[in-house]
Structure formats: C-alpha cells, structure tokens
Amino acid sequence: MNCKCEYCNKLSDFLRDSEQSQIEIKAAEHYRNHMESTNRSQSLDLTSKKIRVGNRYALRFFKTTASYERALKRYEDDLKLLAKFESV
C-alpha cells in the first residue's frame, strides 16, 4: 500500500495474514473515508461495510478473491485463444 498511516498499516497487516478473513477497524469518519478510498484506488481484494459499535462507527473489511478470479478468467481466455491458433 502507498499510504503508511496507522489505519493503512492495519489493512496491510490484515492482507498479509492468511488466517484472518475479516477485520473491524474503529475510526473517525475521515479515516474511514480514507481507508475506503485507498481500497478503491489500489484495487485491493477487500470489501467493506460500515457498522455501528456502541456510539461509534467502524469499518468491517472482508477479503475477496477478485484478483484471483480476474487472473483465472484471463488464463481461461488465453487458453481458448491458444486453442484457436493451434487448430489453424
């Protein structure tokens, strides 16, 4: 991740942890917006949901397999193209 703030570091640690599938990060609105913006701009394999924790809000992030699925689709498309060239 490009940003090295406290919240983005938590997201980075979460992404590196293969055992964890979700994380809840309590933060003020400004930082929640920052984390969501970072997630979108860097196309991280995360989805987020704003949740209420007591009288404050947090973001719950969930890992996805979006980049894997895109790579798998590209691989399958490449195999189809290769099969067309081999049949010529």
Side-chain angles (χ1 to χ4, degrees):
M1 296 180 63
N2 297 334
C3 180
K4 300 297 180 199
C5 75
E6 169 190 357
Y7 297 102
C8 289
N9 283 337
K10 286 181 183 182
L11 283 178
S12 290
D13 292 343
F14 167 62
L15 286 168
R16 282 192 295 273
D17 186 346
S18 61
E19 300 294 316
Q20 224 177 350
S21 64
Q22 67 180 16
I23 188 173
E24 187 176 292
I25 301 176
K26 297 175 187 172
E29 182 177 10
H30 169 75
Y31 294 111
R32 291 193 313 267
N33 292 339
H34 169 69
M35 287 186 286
E36 288 181 317
S37 174
T38 300
N39 182 26
R40 282 190 306 275
S41 69
Q42 295 187 20
S43 301
L44 302 175
D45 285 345
L46 296 173
T47 58
S48 63
K49 179 180 180 181
K50 183 170 75 170
I51 58 169
R52 188 169 179 107
V53 179
N55 62 348
R56 300 192 67 185
Y57 287 94
L59 281 176
R60 184 171 290 151
F61 287 94
F62 302 90
K63 289 182 182 175
T64 67
T65 56
S67 63
Y68 169 79
E69 291 167 5
R70 283 191 304 272
L72 181 60
K73 173 79 169 109
R74 188 171 47 247
Y75 173 74
E76 291 169 347
D77 291 344
D78 288 347
L79 286 178
K80 290 175 187 175
L81 286 171
L82 183 61
K84 285 181 183 180
F85 284 120
E86 289 176 344
S87 67
V88 174

